[in-house]
Amino acid sequence: MRLGLEIALARAAGRLSRLAGAGGGTTLPGKLLLRLDPDAIDRLGRRLPLGSALVSATNGKTTTAAMAAEILSTRFRLAHNRSGANLVSGVASALLRADGAELGLLEVDEAALPEVVRRIHPRALCLGNLFRDQLDRYGELELVADGWRAAVRGLPAATALVVNGDDPQVASLSTEGGTPTVFGLDDPRHALPAVPHAADSSHCIRCGTPYAYAAVYVGHLGDYRCPKCGHARPALDVVARGIELNGLESAAFDLVAPGGTTRIALRLPGLYNVYNALAAASLALALGAGLDDVRAGLERFSAAFGRFERIAVGDRRVLVLLIKNPAGANEAVRTLLAGGAPTLAVIALNDAIADGRDVSWIWDVDFEPLLERLERVIATGERAAELSLRCKYAGVDPERIELVPELERALDRGLELTPPGGELVILPTYTAMLSLRKTVAGRGYVRPYWDERAA
Amino acid sequence: MSRIVVGHLYPDYLNIYADRGNIAVLERRAAWRGHRLEVRDVSVGDDLVPGEHDLLYIGGGQDREQALIAPDLAAKGEAARAAVDGGAALLAVCGGYQLMGRSYLDGSGERLPGVGLFPLETVAGSRRLIGDVLLECELEPGERRALAGFENHAGRTLLDESGTPLGRVVAGFGNDGESGFEGCRIGNAVGTYLHGPLLPRNPWLADWLLERALSRRGEGDVMLEPLPDELEHEAHEVAARRARERGGRR
Ligand SMILES: [Zn+2]
């Protein structure tokens, strides 16, 4: 079959899926296309005159890609998988929808990255971090890291390789291939007092000795040096300095790049979003954007789908912070605390494949500082009972734990306990976030995710 | 009121699957009965002194972390065996369970030395055995109990003829995906692939370990009084249902 016909068929399938109400239809066209012709994605990739940039990371890839899209969209027509469908089928679907696009800007799942790199031959690759995440699905962290190493090894010099220097595993890829740009933070005022519990890769990747950190910023990310063999963070090309965090509202930093320095005022909070912004900026600069474009794009950016969203629900607001692994959830907790800490929270734990079937990770999240301040916690989702135990054994009085497995009921209970004008904090896993969002969309407060357009 | 001294082996290396959840459960459940758990970390280079601990705990890690601590642990082998012989309780989970056997041939072909406490060998297979698990155990004669957890291991663990498993697999893979058995038990020592973590949703096993630890403290035969465990039972039911629905699929 010819590519044109395959494309037409696959697109029709996506429209049918949406008409049938079977969800976004965001991956179905790609799935169908790959079924018809496994190599179609290679050819779709080649149709883009400026090639493609790929973004991957355990945490922050959706936000980073969306920020980069915001920066680059004024210059280029982009093919971008905005809703976060980031497996090979999702990438294929985004390329299918890419009529007239010049540049692919694709978020890619960590495990899918090697295959996508092999097929698309990206012009730029932005690698943010590797944390333990859904070990039941990805296997050990080392396996993902090995896959990345193989994908990067021997990339031509024409490929821009943007890596986070603060992550030892990721930073070490900068010498494997491509033309590297290394980014990182340099502001020890925002360092954590210690490496968090169950941090990954905090032992030297060369000799196994625990790293000595001049500063730990997020999880195991920071300014590390091995006291035994000397393996250390590489020199940084793009740096965030003078970081200012304003609770749950915003963050600002000096973006120090080879071409100059500019102050960036983000409309998103938290140090992890400074990392996302820095990654997006480094990628955009590597693709030829100017510092002014970078600043303007980042300052326009408000939120990526479901990651950190404020939604007005009647006379109250809902603040959604996605949680999916210990490192990411720790940052959500840290951000909430910086914002003054709520007295009520809804935490939603599902165990579908996309959430991770193994729910043990909730025990490795440092929920305690948040739980200590909560007057009431509503545990919901398919594994709500497990979540209740997490709270109980953290020392929360069981009287203060409400077990409400059904998500919509938990949302309503949370709203009922929130005073008018107030904000309800919800920490959902991925599929719980999707279904809560669907509920809120069903009540007319947000658009369904497959209808979303650039802000 | 008693003090229970717990030796937590390599908490800085073996902590991959919520191991601190297991420790938290032991701590709280002891405290609710008026006992105090004192957790002492024992890591690379620290001495394991036989007689110091009433309970030893060792958790799970990835191949890399296991390889980093295996020689140090093997050097503590005699002390660990002496502790268990002296009546200390022990819970070894996942990677720690493998290393409490004689050896572990890991995925890279490296043979890691073990402690030799449990009569078993482990060899990494090509596919990981991943999913929800449900076991039936009988640690005390006539007392049948269910354990619900999650397993994720490349290792295939083979018990010697003389070895006693922790339980029979109702759903899931277990030691090797074929024998129908899971874990190993010798006296007051229990080894298992089940994380999840194990103790919050199987509080009876936490109490069994605490009772053994208290006996070793010289409290005689201890029976801890029951606690209101409705949430624990609810979580157990959900996990057991998951195992029946989807455990042990390749
Ligand atoms: Zn080193």
Side-chain angles (χ1 to χ4, degrees):
Chain A
M1 227 184 299
R2 283 204 314 268
L3 189 61
L5 182 56
E6 290 167 357
I7 291 173
L9 272 173
R11 283 190 185 145
R15 280 194 298 275
L16 277 174
S17 163
R18 280 191 293 277
L19 281 174
T26 50
T27 62
L28 187 73
K31 278 183 185 154
L32 186 68
L33 179 68
L34 295 175
R35 183 80 55 83
L36 292 168
D37 177 1
D39 294 332
I41 183 172
D42 312 36
R43 281 180 280 149
L44 283 173
R46 284 200 295 274
R47 293 196 311 174
L48 293 164
L50 298 176
S52 288
L54 310 183
V55 176
S56 196
T58 307
N59 287 340
K61 54 188 172 292
T62 302
T63 300
T64 299
M67 285 173 161
E70 191 67 58
I71 297 167
L72 295 165
S73 60
T74 53
R75 285 193 173 213
F76 306 111
R77 289 191 301 278
L78 300 175
H80 174 34
N81 47 347
R82 181 175 306 280
S83 67
N86 60 19
L87 299 175
V88 178
S89 55
V91 168
S93 294
L95 293 174
L96 267 172
R97 286 193 305 269
D99 269 337
E102 299 160 303
L103 177 69
L105 181 59
L106 301 163
E107 168 197 339
V108 184
D109 173 83
E110 308 87 280
L113 186 76
E115 180 176 353
V116 175
V117 168
R118 201 166 59 240
R119 289 180 175 278
I120 303 264
H121 302 288
R123 141 178 198 204
L125 186 54
C126 175
L127 303 176
N129 51 63
L130 280 174
F131 293 103
R132 77 175 63 163
D133 182 33
Q134 299 184 23
L135 297 157
D136 56 313
R137 181 163 142 235
Y138 292 112
E140 304 197 337
L141 186 64
E142 302 284 320
L143 293 178
V144 180
D146 288 348
W148 278 22
R149 196 166 297 280
V152 165
R153 187 163 289 154
L155 281 177
T159 306
L161 178 63
V162 178
V163 297
N164 186 345
D166 290 356
D167 187 323
Q169 291 266 25
V170 176
S172 73
L173 301 175
S174 68
T175 53
E176 297 280 357
T179 298
T181 299
V182 181
F183 66 88
L185 305 192
D186 180 19
D187 192 343
R189 292 176 308 149
H190 295 284
L192 295 166
V195 181
H197 167 78
D200 313 282
S201 309
S202 56
H203 298 101
C204 176
I205 60 165
R206 281 197 198 140
C207 77
T209 307
Y211 283 119
Y213 279 88
V216 191
Y217 295 113
V218 169
H220 62 271
L221 308 185
D223 185 0
Y224 50 87
R225 168 173 289 280
C226 171
K228 192 166 167 202
C229 77
H231 179 251
R233 178 170 79 163
L236 304 177
D237 303 308
V238 181
V239 190
R241 290 206 182 106
I243 298 165
E244 192 189 312
L245 302 175
N246 307 309
L248 271 174
E249 302 308 316
S250 62
F253 63 97
D254 289 328
L255 175 67
V256 183
T261 296
T262 185
R263 183 108 188 130
I264 308 275
L266 288 179
R267 290 154 69 185
L268 287 177
L271 206 54
Y272 60 105
N273 277 316
V274 174
Y275 267 117
N276 292 333
L278 195 59
S282 304
L283 176 62
L285 292 171
L287 288 167
L291 272 180
D292 288 344
D293 293 337
V294 169
R295 191 188 59 242
L298 289 175
E299 296 194 343
R300 271 196 311 272
F301 183 82
S302 57
F305 172 66
R307 265 60 191 178
F308 178 93
E309 269 191 313
R310 279 200 161 98
I311 303 166
V313 177
D315 56 0
R316 294 162 174 84
R317 277 175 309 164
V318 166
L319 174 63
V320 181
L321 287 103
L322 180 71
I323 55 170
K324 55 177 198 164
N325 52 36
N330 282 345
E331 288 312 299
V333 167
R334 189 172 165 192
T335 306
L336 282 176
L337 292 178
T343 54
L344 165 71
V346 175
I347 310 180
L349 177 64
N350 277 355
D351 65 350
I353 287 175
D355 304 292
R357 290 185 155 187
D358 181 0
V359 294
S360 64
W361 64 274
I362 60 166
W363 295 85
D364 290 323
V365 179
D366 292 319
F367 279 122
E368 277 74 1
L370 173 64
L371 294 175
E372 278 164 18
R373 289 169 173 80
L374 291 179
E375 285 163 18
R376 186 156 294 273
V377 54
I378 299 173
T380 183
E382 285 158 17
R383 300 305 289 270
E386 187 85 18
L387 201 50
S388 304
L389 288 186
R390 175 68 184 88
C391 299
K392 178 177 171 180
Y393 284 98
V396 178
D397 180 349
E399 302 276 295
R400 294 192 287 130
I401 305 168
E402 284 189 36
L403 177 63
V404 187
E406 215 257 310
L407 285 165
E408 186 161 3
R409 274 186 48 223
L411 171 68
D412 284 331
R413 176 67 180 142
L415 288 170
E416 182 189 324
L417 292 170
T418 304
E423 185 165 84
L424 172 65
V425 169
I426 306 184
L427 301 165
T429 59
Y430 188 71
T431 68
M433 180 272 284
L434 291 184
S435 67
L436 282 166
R437 224 170 169 283
K438 197 173 167 191
T439 298
V440 175
R443 297 180 187 181
Y445 295 115
V446 285
R447 274 176 299 181
Y449 67 93
W450 57 88
D451 275 356
E452 282 188 76
R453 300 287 180 271
Chain B
M1 142 109 194
S2 271
R3 191 178 57 135
I4 301 168
V5 179
V6 176
H8 187 173
L9 294 166
Y10 310 103
D12 44 347
Y13 289 85
L14 303 181
N15 56 27
I16 193 165
Y17 293 117
D19 292 294
R20 73 168 169 180
N22 287 333
I23 298 285
V25 169
L26 292 169
E27 230 159 12
R28 298 270 174 201
R29 297 184 74 82
W32 289 329
R33 274 73 165 246
H35 304 299
R36 191 165 63 82
L37 208 71
E38 189 180 316
V39 182
R40 298 178 185 166
D41 293 352
V42 183
S43 194
V44 174
D46 300 337
D47 280 334
L48 180 62
V49 182
E52 183 182 331
H53 305 104
D54 307 305
L55 175 62
L56 291 173
Y57 181 85
I58 181 166
Q62 313 193 40
D63 275 3
R64 178 178 150 78
E65 282 84 31
Q66 278 183 279
L68 286 173
I69 61 99
D72 187 87
L73 175 61
K76 292 181 172 69
E78 203 180 320
R81 293 193 306 273
V84 172
D85 283 344
L90 177 143
L91 177 60
V93 175
C94 206
Y97 165 49
Q98 294 171 337
L99 292 177
M100 283 288 156
R102 282 192 297 271
S103 69
Y104 173 43
L105 186 63
D106 76 11
S108 62
E110 191 182 349
R111 184 176 295 279
L112 305 180
V115 161
L117 172 71
F118 294 128
L120 56 85
E121 303 269 357
T122 303
V123 176
S126 51
R127 302 173 72 114
R128 297 187 74 84
L129 305 179
I130 303 173
D132 299 274
V133 204
L134 183 63
L135 306 183
E136 188 181 66
C137 306
E138 195 175 328
L139 292 187
E140 301 302 320
E143 278 182 39
R144 290 214 178 159
R145 301 282 206 162
L147 270 184
F150 198 94
E151 62 185 324
N152 182 350
H153 50 106
R156 309 295 195 267
T157 293
L158 296 173
L159 291 189
D160 294 355
E161 286 288 320
S162 63
T164 309
L166 168 63
R168 189 178 64 78
V169 177
V170 177
F173 294 107
N175 277 339
D176 58 355
E178 283 165 19
S179 65
F181 292 117
E182 206 289 323
C184 187
R185 187 257 172 123
I186 281 193
N188 293 343
V190 164
T192 178
Y193 275 119
L194 274 62
H195 63 260
L198 183 64
L199 299 182
R201 57 169 93 124
N202 300 290
W204 68 266
L205 182 62
D207 288 352
W208 185 87
L209 290 164
L210 288 173
E211 285 168 356
R212 301 286 139 337
L214 284 164
S215 302
R216 128 104 198 141
R217 268 273 132 188
E219 302 275 313
D221 268 352
V222 181
M223 282 283 284
L224 290 168
E225 66 272 28
L227 293 169
D229 283 336
E230 289 80 11
L231 281 177
E232 286 79 352
H233 293 147
E234 173 85 23
H236 177 95
E237 280 315 307
V238 175
R241 196 162 63 233
R242 281 286 188 265
R244 288 192 204 99
E245 285 163 6
R246 67 188 194 188
R249 302 245 174 86
R250 275 165 213 253

